[in-house]
Amino acid sequence: MYNKIQFSLSFCPLCLSEILHDLAVAWEPNKPLVIEEIEVAPPQANEVRIKIVATGVCHTDLYHLFEGMHKDGFPAVLGHEGAGIVESVGPGVIEFQPGDKVIPLFIYQCRECRFCKSPKTNQCEKGWAADRYDVMASAESRFTCKGKKILQFMGTSTFSEYTVVNQMAVAKIDPTAPLDKVCLLGCGVCTGYGAAVNTAKVEPGSTCAVFGLGAVGLAAVMGCKAAGAKKIIAVDINPEKFEKAKVFGATDFLNPKDHSKPISQVLSKMTNGGVDFSLECVGNVGVMRSALESCVKGWGVSVLVGWTDLYDVATRPIQLIAGRTWKGSLFGGFKSKDGVPQMVKAYLDKKVKLDEFVTHNMTLAQVNDAIELMKHGECIRTVLSVSPQ
């Protein structure tokens, strides 16, 4: 049996011991998380144990807890938008060393499968998403609490002081990067920004509409601006978000509640037939249809960005026959291990905003308060301080 120690280990790859520390456990769906003392096993072959310093609270965490609620997806440690420091490495790991600053990734990049070798996609045949996307966790886990195995949500589980991740799902980043800011690149910002730049391939001088102004939507607005869009219409039922959207590049704002006609008709009228690009960043199938039907016929492109797998999405065939393209984007199309360090560099070079997304800072012990803020739309991103650097 490994020796248990409290909270920390020296940075030595040979000192592979089990760690006993605190994290937030989702024991069952639709219930508050519970701060528990948990055992984190040492990294096995090709694995890295990371001390999580900071993590964002993302809507996908809430989706799993309150919407997806898959019976086999609990108990679990949520969180997938984190950043930290390598504490120890398992046999076979040569890319990482204790002390490296890293971001754990919910999409693998093995560099060997047909998907990794293709420039057409950022998906990978390895990892939890390959065959357990509905459960949102691998069957294997290094977490144990009260004698029970605790699932590792999306392969990362960043609502934890320590987590163990396969080296194929870890990105080494610039050592000067502030972890409480770049943690947002683990999901939301890359997802929205990349959906505009990589997936939609927004063109200079184009007109865009972004549906939903959470962190993902605001990042999509930022991506549209970076790509040179002339008009960026931000669509949300909360008018208080428009001022924040303007910071990221939005030129116009539409609140569907202010109009008696469908928002697609309103957009079509104000853009001479529809927008060139639309991005749905809510995860609502009705909004997905509205986003598609807001696009101009002939060449309009609509991208599904918001995460959901609860209902079918539908439209009339003529919407596509008329030349519109409907496509999806996962993690903004970024190949994870390559793209995240590039985005960190873009932030350090002041080409990408991150600080402006953070509306609240809390501790891991306040995770349920952070969840309530997001549930009621009272934040853009709350960053939790998990461990001291």
PDB file of all heavy atoms in Angstrom, residues 233-240 252-261 263 266:
ATOM      1  N   ILE A 233     -23.164  40.892 -34.620  1.00  0.00           N
ATOM      2  CA  ILE A 233     -24.433  41.093 -33.909  1.00  0.00           C
ATOM      3  C   ILE A 233     -24.504  40.104 -32.759  1.00  0.00           C
ATOM      4  O   ILE A 233     -24.490  38.885 -32.962  1.00  0.00           O
ATOM      5  CB  ILE A 233     -25.619  40.900 -34.860  1.00  0.00           C
ATOM      6  CG1 ILE A 233     -25.480  41.820 -36.080  1.00  0.00           C
ATOM      7  CG2 ILE A 233     -26.931  41.179 -34.124  1.00  0.00           C
ATOM      8  CD1 ILE A 233     -26.405  41.453 -37.227  1.00  0.00           C
ATOM      9  N   ALA A 234     -24.570  40.620 -31.548  1.00  0.00           N
ATOM     10  CA  ALA A 234     -24.640  39.783 -30.350  1.00  0.00           C
ATOM     11  C   ALA A 234     -26.108  39.586 -29.983  1.00  0.00           C
ATOM     12  O   ALA A 234     -26.867  40.564 -29.858  1.00  0.00           O
ATOM     13  CB  ALA A 234     -23.883  40.450 -29.205  1.00  0.00           C
ATOM     14  N   VAL A 235     -26.532  38.328 -29.811  1.00  0.00           N
ATOM     15  CA  VAL A 235     -27.929  37.998 -29.538  1.00  0.00           C
ATOM     16  C   VAL A 235     -28.034  37.335 -28.169  1.00  0.00           C
ATOM     17  O   VAL A 235     -27.412  36.298 -27.921  1.00  0.00           O
ATOM     18  CB  VAL A 235     -28.496  37.055 -30.623  1.00  0.00           C
ATOM     19  CG1 VAL A 235     -29.977  36.782 -30.364  1.00  0.00           C
ATOM     20  CG2 VAL A 235     -28.284  37.635 -32.014  1.00  0.00           C
ATOM     21  N   ASP A 236     -28.831  37.936 -27.286  1.00  0.00           N
ATOM     22  CA  ASP A 236     -29.006  37.363 -25.944  1.00  0.00           C
ATOM     23  C   ASP A 236     -30.269  37.956 -25.340  1.00  0.00           C
ATOM     24  O   ASP A 236     -30.671  39.076 -25.676  1.00  0.00           O
ATOM     25  CB  ASP A 236     -27.796  37.675 -25.052  1.00  0.00           C
ATOM     26  CG  ASP A 236     -27.684  36.733 -23.869  1.00  0.00           C
ATOM     27  OD1 ASP A 236     -28.514  36.848 -22.936  1.00  0.00           O
ATOM     28  OD2 ASP A 236     -26.774  35.879 -23.863  1.00  0.00           O
ATOM     29  N   ILE A 237     -30.909  37.195 -24.441  1.00  0.00           N
ATOM     30  CA  ILE A 237     -32.114  37.693 -23.788  1.00  0.00           C
ATOM     31  C   ILE A 237     -31.789  38.544 -22.564  1.00  0.00           C
ATOM     32  O   ILE A 237     -32.695  39.081 -21.923  1.00  0.00           O
ATOM     33  CB  ILE A 237     -33.046  36.531 -23.384  1.00  0.00           C
ATOM     34  CG1 ILE A 237     -32.337  35.552 -22.444  1.00  0.00           C
ATOM     35  CG2 ILE A 237     -33.566  35.810 -24.620  1.00  0.00           C
ATOM     36  CD1 ILE A 237     -33.247  34.469 -21.893  1.00  0.00           C
ATOM     37  N   ASN A 238     -30.503  38.690 -22.231  1.00  0.00           N
ATOM     38  CA  ASN A 238     -30.083  39.523 -21.103  1.00  0.00           C
ATOM     39  C   ASN A 238     -29.375  40.772 -21.641  1.00  0.00           C
ATOM     40  O   ASN A 238     -28.207  40.703 -22.029  1.00  0.00           O
ATOM     41  CB  ASN A 238     -29.144  38.737 -20.180  1.00  0.00           C
ATOM     42  CG  ASN A 238     -28.722  39.535 -18.952  1.00  0.00           C
ATOM     43  OD1 ASN A 238     -29.031  40.726 -18.833  1.00  0.00           O
ATOM     44  ND2 ASN A 238     -28.011  38.892 -18.040  1.00  0.00           N
ATOM     45  N   PRO A 239     -30.056  41.915 -21.665  1.00  0.00           N
ATOM     46  CA  PRO A 239     -29.450  43.130 -22.235  1.00  0.00           C
ATOM     47  C   PRO A 239     -28.239  43.635 -21.463  1.00  0.00           C
ATOM     48  O   PRO A 239     -27.441  44.408 -22.000  1.00  0.00           O
ATOM     49  CB  PRO A 239     -30.597  44.141 -22.197  1.00  0.00           C
ATOM     50  CG  PRO A 239     -31.518  43.651 -21.130  1.00  0.00           C
ATOM     51  CD  PRO A 239     -31.423  42.157 -21.167  1.00  0.00           C
ATOM     52  N   GLU A 240     -28.078  43.195 -20.217  1.00  0.00           N
ATOM     53  CA  GLU A 240     -26.937  43.646 -19.425  1.00  0.00           C
ATOM     54  C   GLU A 240     -25.613  43.118 -19.976  1.00  0.00           C
ATOM     55  O   GLU A 240     -24.552  43.636 -19.629  1.00  0.00           O
ATOM     56  CB  GLU A 240     -27.112  43.207 -17.970  1.00  0.00           C
ATOM     57  CG  GLU A 240     -28.294  43.862 -17.269  1.00  0.00           C
ATOM     58  CD  GLU A 240     -28.440  43.395 -15.842  1.00  0.00           C
ATOM     59  OE1 GLU A 240     -27.588  42.594 -15.374  1.00  0.00           O
ATOM     60  OE2 GLU A 240     -29.410  43.815 -15.176  1.00  0.00           O
ATOM     61  N   ASP A 252     -23.418  45.338 -32.640  1.00  0.00           N
ATOM     62  CA  ASP A 252     -24.865  45.480 -32.482  1.00  0.00           C
ATOM     63  C   ASP A 252     -25.363  44.461 -31.474  1.00  0.00           C
ATOM     64  O   ASP A 252     -24.708  43.445 -31.223  1.00  0.00           O
ATOM     65  CB  ASP A 252     -25.578  45.241 -33.819  1.00  0.00           C
ATOM     66  CG  ASP A 252     -25.154  46.213 -34.906  1.00  0.00           C
ATOM     67  OD1 ASP A 252     -24.120  45.964 -35.551  1.00  0.00           O
ATOM     68  OD2 ASP A 252     -25.862  47.215 -35.099  1.00  0.00           O
ATOM     69  N   PHE A 253     -26.557  44.733 -30.911  1.00  0.00           N
ATOM     70  CA  PHE A 253     -27.139  43.816 -29.932  1.00  0.00           C
ATOM     71  C   PHE A 253     -28.608  43.611 -30.238  1.00  0.00           C
ATOM     72  O   PHE A 253     -29.326  44.566 -30.552  1.00  0.00           O
ATOM     73  CB  PHE A 253     -26.988  44.362 -28.521  1.00  0.00           C
ATOM     74  CG  PHE A 253     -27.585  43.477 -27.463  1.00  0.00           C
ATOM     75  CD1 PHE A 253     -26.904  42.348 -27.031  1.00  0.00           C
ATOM     76  CD2 PHE A 253     -28.824  43.759 -26.903  1.00  0.00           C
ATOM     77  CE1 PHE A 253     -27.455  41.523 -26.068  1.00  0.00           C
ATOM     78  CE2 PHE A 253     -29.382  42.940 -25.937  1.00  0.00           C
ATOM     79  CZ  PHE A 253     -28.686  41.818 -25.517  1.00  0.00           C
ATOM     80  N   LEU A 254     -29.064  42.373 -30.163  1.00  0.00           N
ATOM     81  CA  LEU A 254     -30.476  42.050 -30.330  1.00  0.00           C
ATOM     82  C   LEU A 254     -30.952  41.210 -29.153  1.00  0.00           C
ATOM     83  O   LEU A 254     -30.314  40.220 -28.790  1.00  0.00           O
ATOM     84  CB  LEU A 254     -30.706  41.263 -31.619  1.00  0.00           C
ATOM     85  CG  LEU A 254     -30.708  42.031 -32.946  1.00  0.00           C
ATOM     86  CD1 LEU A 254     -30.946  41.050 -34.098  1.00  0.00           C
ATOM     87  CD2 LEU A 254     -31.779  43.102 -32.956  1.00  0.00           C
ATOM     88  N   ASN A 255     -32.066  41.620 -28.578  1.00  0.00           N
ATOM     89  CA  ASN A 255     -32.729  40.839 -27.537  1.00  0.00           C
ATOM     90  C   ASN A 255     -34.003  40.255 -28.151  1.00  0.00           C
ATOM     91  O   ASN A 255     -34.927  40.994 -28.495  1.00  0.00           O
ATOM     92  CB  ASN A 255     -33.076  41.728 -26.348  1.00  0.00           C
ATOM     93  CG  ASN A 255     -33.697  40.949 -25.194  1.00  0.00           C
ATOM     94  OD1 ASN A 255     -34.120  39.802 -25.354  1.00  0.00           O
ATOM     95  ND2 ASN A 255     -33.756  41.577 -24.036  1.00  0.00           N
ATOM     96  N   PRO A 256     -34.082  38.937 -28.328  1.00  0.00           N
ATOM     97  CA  PRO A 256     -35.279  38.333 -28.932  1.00  0.00           C
ATOM     98  C   PRO A 256     -36.577  38.719 -28.239  1.00  0.00           C
ATOM     99  O   PRO A 256     -37.639  38.751 -28.863  1.00  0.00           O
ATOM    100  CB  PRO A 256     -35.005  36.829 -28.823  1.00  0.00           C
ATOM    101  CG  PRO A 256     -33.514  36.727 -28.807  1.00  0.00           C
ATOM    102  CD  PRO A 256     -33.048  37.933 -28.045  1.00  0.00           C
ATOM    103  N   LYS A 257     -36.508  39.045 -26.944  1.00  0.00           N
ATOM    104  CA  LYS A 257     -37.703  39.412 -26.201  1.00  0.00           C
ATOM    105  C   LYS A 257     -38.266  40.760 -26.644  1.00  0.00           C
ATOM    106  O   LYS A 257     -39.430  41.076 -26.346  1.00  0.00           O
ATOM    107  CB  LYS A 257     -37.402  39.440 -24.699  1.00  0.00           C
ATOM    108  CG  LYS A 257     -37.132  38.070 -24.089  1.00  0.00           C
ATOM    109  CD  LYS A 257     -36.952  38.167 -22.594  1.00  0.00           C
ATOM    110  CE  LYS A 257     -36.818  36.791 -21.943  1.00  0.00           C
ATOM    111  NZ  LYS A 257     -36.651  36.886 -20.474  1.00  0.00           N
ATOM    112  N   ASP A 258     -37.439  41.554 -27.328  1.00  0.00           N
ATOM    113  CA  ASP A 258     -37.891  42.870 -27.773  1.00  0.00           C
ATOM    114  C   ASP A 258     -38.621  42.828 -29.112  1.00  0.00           C
ATOM    115  O   ASP A 258     -39.035  43.876 -29.630  1.00  0.00           O
ATOM    116  CB  ASP A 258     -36.690  43.827 -27.908  1.00  0.00           C
ATOM    117  CG  ASP A 258     -36.040  44.137 -26.570  1.00  0.00           C
ATOM    118  OD1 ASP A 258     -36.714  43.963 -25.535  1.00  0.00           O
ATOM    119  OD2 ASP A 258     -34.859  44.548 -26.574  1.00  0.00           O
ATOM    120  N   HIS A 259     -38.770  41.647 -29.686  1.00  0.00           N
ATOM    121  CA  HIS A 259     -39.344  41.541 -31.026  1.00  0.00           C
ATOM    122  C   HIS A 259     -40.486  40.528 -31.047  1.00  0.00           C
ATOM    123  O   HIS A 259     -40.410  39.481 -30.400  1.00  0.00           O
ATOM    124  CB  HIS A 259     -38.258  41.125 -32.024  1.00  0.00           C
ATOM    125  CG  HIS A 259     -37.105  42.075 -32.073  1.00  0.00           C
ATOM    126  ND1 HIS A 259     -37.075  43.191 -32.880  1.00  0.00           N
ATOM    127  CD2 HIS A 259     -35.928  42.085 -31.381  1.00  0.00           C
ATOM    128  CE1 HIS A 259     -35.940  43.840 -32.694  1.00  0.00           C
ATOM    129  NE2 HIS A 259     -35.235  43.191 -31.789  1.00  0.00           N
ATOM    130  N   SER A 260     -41.511  40.828 -31.815  1.00  0.00           N
ATOM    131  CA  SER A 260     -42.647  39.916 -31.956  1.00  0.00           C
ATOM    132  C   SER A 260     -42.388  38.864 -33.031  1.00  0.00           C
ATOM    133  O   SER A 260     -42.950  37.774 -32.982  1.00  0.00           O
ATOM    134  CB  SER A 260     -43.912  40.702 -32.307  1.00  0.00           C
ATOM    135  OG  SER A 260     -43.724  41.462 -33.499  1.00  0.00           O
ATOM    136  N   LYS A 261     -41.531  39.179 -33.989  1.00  0.00           N
ATOM    137  CA  LYS A 261     -41.185  38.227 -35.046  1.00  0.00           C
ATOM    138  C   LYS A 261     -40.044  37.320 -34.591  1.00  0.00           C
ATOM    139  O   LYS A 261     -39.264  37.687 -33.705  1.00  0.00           O
ATOM    140  CB  LYS A 261     -40.761  38.974 -36.306  1.00  0.00           C
ATOM    141  CG  LYS A 261     -41.868  39.770 -36.971  1.00  0.00           C
ATOM    142  CD  LYS A 261     -41.353  40.423 -38.242  1.00  0.00           C
ATOM    143  CE  LYS A 261     -42.461  41.191 -38.949  1.00  0.00           C
ATOM    144  NZ  LYS A 261     -41.962  41.833 -40.204  1.00  0.00           N
ATOM    145  N   ILE A 263     -36.450  35.775 -34.297  1.00  0.00           N
ATOM    146  CA  ILE A 263     -35.195  36.523 -34.378  1.00  0.00           C
ATOM    147  C   ILE A 263     -34.495  36.305 -35.718  1.00  0.00           C
ATOM    148  O   ILE A 263     -33.784  37.185 -36.206  1.00  0.00           O
ATOM    149  CB  ILE A 263     -34.269  36.151 -33.195  1.00  0.00           C
ATOM    150  CG1 ILE A 263     -33.167  37.190 -33.018  1.00  0.00           C
ATOM    151  CG2 ILE A 263     -33.693  34.765 -33.371  1.00  0.00           C
ATOM    152  CD1 ILE A 263     -33.684  38.547 -32.592  1.00  0.00           C
ATOM    153  N   VAL A 266     -35.841  38.941 -37.970  1.00  0.00           N
ATOM    154  CA  VAL A 266     -35.301  40.247 -37.603  1.00  0.00           C
ATOM    155  C   VAL A 266     -33.881  40.409 -38.155  1.00  0.00           C
ATOM    156  O   VAL A 266     -33.531  41.444 -38.742  1.00  0.00           O
ATOM    157  CB  VAL A 266     -35.300  40.418 -36.068  1.00  0.00           C
ATOM    158  CG1 VAL A 266     -34.642  41.742 -35.670  1.00  0.00           C
ATOM    159  CG2 VAL A 266     -36.719  40.351 -35.522  1.00  0.00           C
TER     160      VAL A 266
END
